[in-house]
Amino acid sequence: MSQKQLKEAFISNLNGTSLLEISAGLSLAPLCLLCRGLLLILYYLRHGKPVSSRKYSLLLDFLVLVSPLLFSCTVLSPIIFFMPVILAAFCAGILSKIYNQRKWEARAPFGQIVKEFQKTYLDPGCIPAITVFRVYINVLTSISILAVDFPQYPRRYAKAETYGTGVMDLGVGAFIFGNALVCPEVRQKSCVTQPRFSSLARQMFSVWPLISLGVGRLLSVKSIEYHEHTSEYGVHWNFFFTLAFVRLAASLLLAIFPKHKAWLVALALAVLYQLLLSTTSLKVFILHGSDGRGSRLGFLDANREGLLSLLGYLAIYLASVQVGLWLLQRRASVRGWLRALAGLALAVLLLFVLLQLCQACTEPVSRRVANLPFCTWVLAHCLLLLSLFVLTDLTLVFTKLLVKGSSVPCCWEVVQPPDSSKKHGMEAVLVGREDKLSQLCLISAINKNQLLFFLLANVMTGAVNILIDTIHSKAAFTLCILHLYMFFNCLIMSVLQARNIVLKFW
């Protein structure tokens, strides 16, 4: 077999992993974020000032926010269930240390602290959990697209061939989910009257970079005979095309139907698509081609997975729009967000129950056809990760209240409540200096140039695969390559942020 055939076989015929292992892996990112925040607060408590060095800030963020994820999907994957416990215990130790030192200075009863925490006002114009979710999906995807070509990356984490729940299968759906959370239909204020199809017009202009990247990837992959898994999207299709067409189709549907009914449109679309899969020969066509033997004759047959799975991804996108609209409802206090967190937890529980019912009544999860169980699975785990980030933010807010003057970048800003004795509608006043800290935050740096970060990761992945025999690499060499690859990506983002450069011109 040629090197190209060996690499294609290395990522083919896989069956995924368990839902529990994926959930355990997802909990690592919020715990890493919590650990970083607590370490910054502890530093402030001891030195009386925040970390002001850009160099040390980048190093801390990389070592705490990125490096543990690299280890968890390679050499530490056999103990993945113990890693959340270890990280949680470490965070609990830091939190206890912070609380005890603060208690020595100001002996307020714990009950009083909790009451003050619940009454705390938060900046209603910013929800850090959404930003962190989108950045971490980008980071996790960037790690996986290169790590999957090394033997240290467990085969059960890679994309499943037909049925199964691999980590990379979830990453595809999570990318769709994260894009929908900040789409124009979500960010557009309801009180602003705009033309019915204005969002569609904006999306038609904004997706051209995705289409250009899709064409660029297609031409480059074919020209250098780069290894590819045809059953993912087909011969000519790729994920850039999927993302572009889903955004356009969603904008068209949301211009026709009320956006606050997006979940109904998503449900109808997913159920109708599943009925077609179950009652017609559509599923056989997707899996086995027009002749039943995996043919790739004609454009539709050659790209059947990518084209027909658009219906499932569109359902995920529309459901995510509904989630984004719900999250952006004005909640001024911690108490309001605690109730929202309870709502998210209930939604996650219901979706996991629905997932079991869907698989029992229809078929297992399949990213290849993007069926109803796949849509339900993606939404359940995305909401789980999002709720964990909200919980992390609230924990950091509580800790910041223990240490007056401390700040954590990409965390909720505490505000003073509006003065009720003055004119109603007056905006709350920010407390602290979060803007300067955001300039020293890897998450903020990546967030400013997310598409560039993803594109750079794809280009570097291709370069590494061309230059290195990844399949036969040793563990130490693999870890060095992955760390250098991710650090270079993060360094570029940090430099761009330091120079205040945002490479977005559409």
Side-chain angles (χ1 to χ4, degrees), residues 78-113:
I79 60 167
I80 189 69
F81 290 104
F82 294 101
M83 290 189 65
V85 178
I86 296 170
L87 280 174
F90 183 68
C91 290
I94 301 175
L95 182 57
S96 175
K97 196 173 188 66
I98 292 172
Y99 176 75
N100 289 331
Q101 291 191 14
R102 186 266 181 188
K103 192 177 180 182
W104 180 262
E105 298 169 359
R107 296 179 179 276
F110 182 76
Q112 181 182 338
I113 297 173

Short mmCIF file of all heavy atoms in Angstrom, two decimals, residues 78-113:
data_model
loop_
_atom_site.label_atom_id
_atom_site.label_comp_id
_atom_site.label_asym_id
_atom_site.label_seq_id
_atom_site.Cartn_x
_atom_site.Cartn_y
_atom_site.Cartn_z
N PRO A 78 -5.96 6.62 28.28
CA PRO A 78 -6.40 5.46 29.07
C PRO A 78 -6.95 5.82 30.45
O PRO A 78 -7.70 5.04 31.04
CB PRO A 78 -5.13 4.61 29.18
CG PRO A 78 -4.31 4.99 28.00
CD PRO A 78 -4.57 6.45 27.82
N ILE A 79 -6.57 6.99 30.99
CA ILE A 79 -7.08 7.39 32.31
C ILE A 79 -7.98 8.61 32.20
O ILE A 79 -8.03 9.45 33.10
CB ILE A 79 -5.91 7.67 33.29
CG1 ILE A 79 -5.02 8.80 32.75
CG2 ILE A 79 -5.09 6.42 33.53
CD1 ILE A 79 -4.04 9.34 33.79
N ILE A 80 -8.70 8.72 31.07
CA ILE A 80 -9.53 9.90 30.82
C ILE A 80 -10.58 10.10 31.91
O ILE A 80 -10.94 11.25 32.24
CB ILE A 80 -10.21 9.78 29.43
CG1 ILE A 80 -10.91 11.08 29.04
CG2 ILE A 80 -11.19 8.63 29.40
CD1 ILE A 80 -9.98 12.22 28.77
N PHE A 81 -11.08 9.03 32.54
CA PHE A 81 -12.11 9.17 33.56
C PHE A 81 -11.54 9.70 34.88
O PHE A 81 -12.28 10.24 35.71
CB PHE A 81 -12.80 7.83 33.81
CG PHE A 81 -13.68 7.39 32.67
CD1 PHE A 81 -13.27 6.39 31.80
CD2 PHE A 81 -14.90 7.99 32.44
CE1 PHE A 81 -14.06 5.98 30.74
CE2 PHE A 81 -15.71 7.59 31.38
CZ PHE A 81 -15.29 6.58 30.54
N PHE A 82 -10.23 9.56 35.08
CA PHE A 82 -9.61 10.07 36.31
C PHE A 82 -9.18 11.53 36.18
O PHE A 82 -9.05 12.23 37.19
CB PHE A 82 -8.39 9.21 36.67
CG PHE A 82 -8.73 7.80 37.04
CD1 PHE A 82 -8.56 6.77 36.13
CD2 PHE A 82 -9.24 7.49 38.30
CE1 PHE A 82 -8.88 5.46 36.46
CE2 PHE A 82 -9.57 6.19 38.64
CZ PHE A 82 -9.39 5.17 37.72
N MET A 83 -8.96 11.99 34.96
CA MET A 83 -8.47 13.35 34.77
C MET A 83 -9.42 14.43 35.28
O MET A 83 -8.98 15.38 35.93
CB MET A 83 -8.12 13.58 33.29
CG MET A 83 -6.90 12.80 32.83
SD MET A 83 -6.36 13.26 31.17
CE MET A 83 -5.85 14.96 31.43
N PRO A 84 -10.74 14.34 35.03
CA PRO A 84 -11.64 15.34 35.61
C PRO A 84 -11.60 15.35 37.13
O PRO A 84 -11.68 16.42 37.75
CB PRO A 84 -13.02 14.91 35.09
CG PRO A 84 -12.75 14.12 33.87
CD PRO A 84 -11.46 13.42 34.13
N VAL A 85 -11.46 14.18 37.74
CA VAL A 85 -11.40 14.09 39.20
C VAL A 85 -10.14 14.78 39.71
O VAL A 85 -10.18 15.54 40.70
CB VAL A 85 -11.42 12.62 39.65
CG1 VAL A 85 -11.30 12.53 41.16
CG2 VAL A 85 -12.70 11.93 39.18
N ILE A 86 -9.01 14.54 39.05
CA ILE A 86 -7.74 15.15 39.46
C ILE A 86 -7.80 16.67 39.31
O ILE A 86 -7.41 17.41 40.22
CB ILE A 86 -6.58 14.57 38.62
CG1 ILE A 86 -6.42 13.07 38.92
CG2 ILE A 86 -5.28 15.31 38.91
CD1 ILE A 86 -5.46 12.36 37.98
N LEU A 87 -8.30 17.14 38.17
CA LEU A 87 -8.40 18.58 37.94
C LEU A 87 -9.38 19.23 38.92
O LEU A 87 -9.11 20.33 39.44
CB LEU A 87 -8.83 18.86 36.51
CG LEU A 87 -7.74 18.79 35.44
CD1 LEU A 87 -8.35 18.94 34.05
CD2 LEU A 87 -6.69 19.86 35.67
N ALA A 88 -10.51 18.58 39.17
CA ALA A 88 -11.50 19.13 40.10
C ALA A 88 -10.93 19.22 41.51
O ALA A 88 -11.16 20.21 42.23
CB ALA A 88 -12.76 18.26 40.09
N ALA A 89 -10.17 18.21 41.92
CA ALA A 89 -9.55 18.23 43.25
C ALA A 89 -8.52 19.36 43.34
O ALA A 89 -8.42 20.05 44.37
CB ALA A 89 -8.89 16.88 43.53
N PHE A 90 -7.75 19.56 42.27
CA PHE A 90 -6.76 20.63 42.25
C PHE A 90 -7.45 22.00 42.36
O PHE A 90 -7.01 22.88 43.12
CB PHE A 90 -5.94 20.54 40.97
CG PHE A 90 -4.84 21.55 40.87
CD1 PHE A 90 -3.74 21.48 41.71
CD2 PHE A 90 -4.90 22.56 39.93
CE1 PHE A 90 -2.72 22.42 41.63
CE2 PHE A 90 -3.89 23.50 39.84
CZ PHE A 90 -2.79 23.44 40.68
N CYS A 91 -8.54 22.18 41.60
CA CYS A 91 -9.29 23.44 41.65
C CYS A 91 -9.90 23.66 43.04
O CYS A 91 -9.91 24.79 43.56
CB CYS A 91 -10.39 23.44 40.59
SG CYS A 91 -9.78 23.54 38.89
N ALA A 92 -10.42 22.59 43.63
CA ALA A 92 -11.00 22.70 44.97
C ALA A 92 -9.95 23.13 45.99
O ALA A 92 -10.22 23.93 46.90
CB ALA A 92 -11.63 21.37 45.37
N GLY A 93 -8.73 22.60 45.84
CA GLY A 93 -7.65 22.98 46.73
C GLY A 93 -7.30 24.46 46.62
O GLY A 93 -7.10 25.15 47.64
N ILE A 94 -7.22 24.97 45.38
CA ILE A 94 -6.92 26.39 45.18
C ILE A 94 -8.04 27.26 45.73
O ILE A 94 -7.79 28.27 46.40
CB ILE A 94 -6.70 26.69 43.68
CG1 ILE A 94 -5.57 25.85 43.11
CG2 ILE A 94 -6.40 28.16 43.47
CD1 ILE A 94 -5.38 26.01 41.62
N LEU A 95 -9.29 26.86 45.47
CA LEU A 95 -10.43 27.64 45.96
C LEU A 95 -10.45 27.69 47.48
O LEU A 95 -10.73 28.74 48.09
CB LEU A 95 -11.73 27.03 45.42
CG LEU A 95 -13.04 27.75 45.80
CD1 LEU A 95 -12.99 29.20 45.32
CD2 LEU A 95 -14.23 27.03 45.18
N SER A 96 -10.15 26.57 48.10
CA SER A 96 -10.10 26.52 49.56
C SER A 96 -9.01 27.45 50.11
O SER A 96 -9.22 28.15 51.10
CB SER A 96 -9.85 25.08 50.02
OG SER A 96 -9.69 25.01 51.43
N LYS A 97 -7.87 27.46 49.43
CA LYS A 97 -6.76 28.33 49.86
C LYS A 97 -7.15 29.80 49.74
O LYS A 97 -6.87 30.61 50.64
CB LYS A 97 -5.53 28.02 49.00
CG LYS A 97 -4.23 28.56 49.56
CD LYS A 97 -3.07 28.06 48.73
CE LYS A 97 -1.74 28.42 49.39
NZ LYS A 97 -1.53 27.72 50.66
N ILE A 98 -7.80 30.14 48.63
CA ILE A 98 -8.25 31.52 48.43
C ILE A 98 -9.26 31.92 49.49
O ILE A 98 -9.18 33.00 50.10
CB ILE A 98 -8.85 31.68 47.02
CG1 ILE A 98 -7.76 31.54 45.95
CG2 ILE A 98 -9.54 33.03 46.88
CD1 ILE A 98 -8.29 31.49 44.53
N TYR A 99 -10.22 31.03 49.77
CA TYR A 99 -11.27 31.34 50.73
C TYR A 99 -10.70 31.51 52.14
O TYR A 99 -11.06 32.44 52.86
CB TYR A 99 -12.33 30.24 50.73
CG TYR A 99 -13.40 30.44 51.79
CD1 TYR A 99 -14.38 31.41 51.61
CD2 TYR A 99 -13.40 29.68 52.96
CE1 TYR A 99 -15.36 31.60 52.58
CE2 TYR A 99 -14.36 29.87 53.93
CZ TYR A 99 -15.34 30.85 53.74
OH TYR A 99 -16.29 31.05 54.69
N ASN A 100 -9.79 30.64 52.53
CA ASN A 100 -9.21 30.71 53.87
C ASN A 100 -8.39 31.97 54.07
O ASN A 100 -8.46 32.60 55.13
CB ASN A 100 -8.34 29.48 54.14
CG ASN A 100 -9.17 28.21 54.30
OD1 ASN A 100 -10.32 28.28 54.73
ND2 ASN A 100 -8.60 27.08 53.94
N GLN A 101 -7.63 32.37 53.04
CA GLN A 101 -6.85 33.59 53.17
C GLN A 101 -7.74 34.81 53.21
O GLN A 101 -7.50 35.75 53.96
CB GLN A 101 -5.84 33.69 52.02
CG GLN A 101 -4.73 32.65 52.10
CD GLN A 101 -3.61 32.92 51.12
OE1 GLN A 101 -3.51 34.01 50.55
NE2 GLN A 101 -2.75 31.94 50.91
N ARG A 102 -8.79 34.79 52.44
CA ARG A 102 -9.73 35.91 52.44
C ARG A 102 -10.47 35.98 53.77
O ARG A 102 -10.69 37.04 54.34
CB ARG A 102 -10.71 35.73 51.28
CG ARG A 102 -11.66 36.92 51.07
CD ARG A 102 -12.96 36.73 51.78
NE ARG A 102 -13.87 37.85 51.56
CZ ARG A 102 -15.02 38.01 52.17
NH1 ARG A 102 -15.41 37.14 53.08
NH2 ARG A 102 -15.78 39.04 51.92
N LYS A 103 -10.85 34.82 54.28
CA LYS A 103 -11.59 34.75 55.54
C LYS A 103 -10.75 35.30 56.68
O LYS A 103 -11.26 35.88 57.63
CB LYS A 103 -12.00 33.30 55.82
CG LYS A 103 -13.00 33.14 56.94
CD LYS A 103 -13.40 31.69 57.09
CE LYS A 103 -14.43 31.53 58.21
NZ LYS A 103 -14.79 30.11 58.42
N TRP A 104 -9.42 35.11 56.62
CA TRP A 104 -8.52 35.62 57.65
C TRP A 104 -8.54 37.15 57.67
O TRP A 104 -8.44 37.79 58.72
CB TRP A 104 -7.12 35.12 57.39
CG TRP A 104 -6.11 35.59 58.40
CD1 TRP A 104 -5.25 36.64 58.28
CD2 TRP A 104 -5.89 35.04 59.70
NE1 TRP A 104 -4.50 36.78 59.39
CE2 TRP A 104 -4.86 35.81 60.31
CE3 TRP A 104 -6.45 33.99 60.41
CZ2 TRP A 104 -4.39 35.55 61.57
CZ3 TRP A 104 -5.98 33.73 61.68
CH2 TRP A 104 -4.96 34.50 62.26
N GLU A 105 -8.68 37.75 56.48
CA GLU A 105 -8.68 39.21 56.39
C GLU A 105 -10.04 39.80 56.76
O GLU A 105 -10.12 40.85 57.38
CB GLU A 105 -8.30 39.64 54.97
CG GLU A 105 -6.90 39.19 54.57
CD GLU A 105 -6.64 39.39 53.09
OE1 GLU A 105 -7.57 39.86 52.40
OE2 GLU A 105 -5.54 39.08 52.63
N ALA A 106 -11.09 39.17 56.31
CA ALA A 106 -12.45 39.68 56.57
C ALA A 106 -13.35 38.50 56.92
O ALA A 106 -13.78 37.76 56.04
CB ALA A 106 -12.99 40.40 55.33
N ARG A 107 -13.61 38.36 58.17
CA ARG A 107 -14.32 37.17 58.65
C ARG A 107 -15.84 37.31 58.44
O ARG A 107 -16.58 37.46 59.40
CB ARG A 107 -14.01 36.94 60.12
CG ARG A 107 -12.55 36.63 60.39
CD ARG A 107 -12.31 36.43 61.87
NE ARG A 107 -10.92 36.12 62.16
CZ ARG A 107 -10.38 34.91 62.09
NH1 ARG A 107 -11.13 33.88 61.74
NH2 ARG A 107 -9.12 34.71 62.38
N ALA A 108 -16.27 37.25 57.23
CA ALA A 108 -17.71 37.26 56.92
C ALA A 108 -18.23 35.84 56.93
O ALA A 108 -17.57 34.93 56.41
CB ALA A 108 -17.95 37.90 55.56
N PRO A 109 -19.40 35.61 57.50
CA PRO A 109 -19.97 34.26 57.50
C PRO A 109 -20.20 33.77 56.07
O PRO A 109 -20.50 34.55 55.16
CB PRO A 109 -21.30 34.44 58.24
CG PRO A 109 -21.15 35.71 59.01
CD PRO A 109 -20.24 36.58 58.20
N PHE A 110 -20.05 32.46 55.89
CA PHE A 110 -20.20 31.88 54.55
C PHE A 110 -21.60 32.14 53.99
O PHE A 110 -21.75 32.43 52.81
CB PHE A 110 -19.92 30.38 54.61
CG PHE A 110 -20.00 29.71 53.27
CD1 PHE A 110 -18.98 29.83 52.34
CD2 PHE A 110 -21.12 28.96 52.91
CE1 PHE A 110 -19.05 29.23 51.11
CE2 PHE A 110 -21.21 28.35 51.67
CZ PHE A 110 -20.16 28.48 50.77
N GLY A 111 -22.63 32.06 54.85
CA GLY A 111 -24.00 32.31 54.40
C GLY A 111 -24.18 33.71 53.85
O GLY A 111 -24.89 33.91 52.86
N GLN A 112 -23.53 34.68 54.50
CA GLN A 112 -23.63 36.06 54.03
C GLN A 112 -22.96 36.22 52.68
O GLN A 112 -23.45 36.94 51.80
CB GLN A 112 -22.99 36.99 55.05
CG GLN A 112 -23.07 38.47 54.67
CD GLN A 112 -22.38 39.36 55.68
OE1 GLN A 112 -22.20 38.98 56.84
NE2 GLN A 112 -21.98 40.54 55.25
N ILE A 113 -21.83 35.53 52.51
CA ILE A 113 -21.11 35.60 51.23
C ILE A 113 -21.99 35.04 50.10
O ILE A 113 -22.06 35.61 49.01
CB ILE A 113 -19.80 34.80 51.32
CG1 ILE A 113 -18.87 35.42 52.36
CG2 ILE A 113 -19.11 34.75 49.96
CD1 ILE A 113 -17.62 34.61 52.62
#
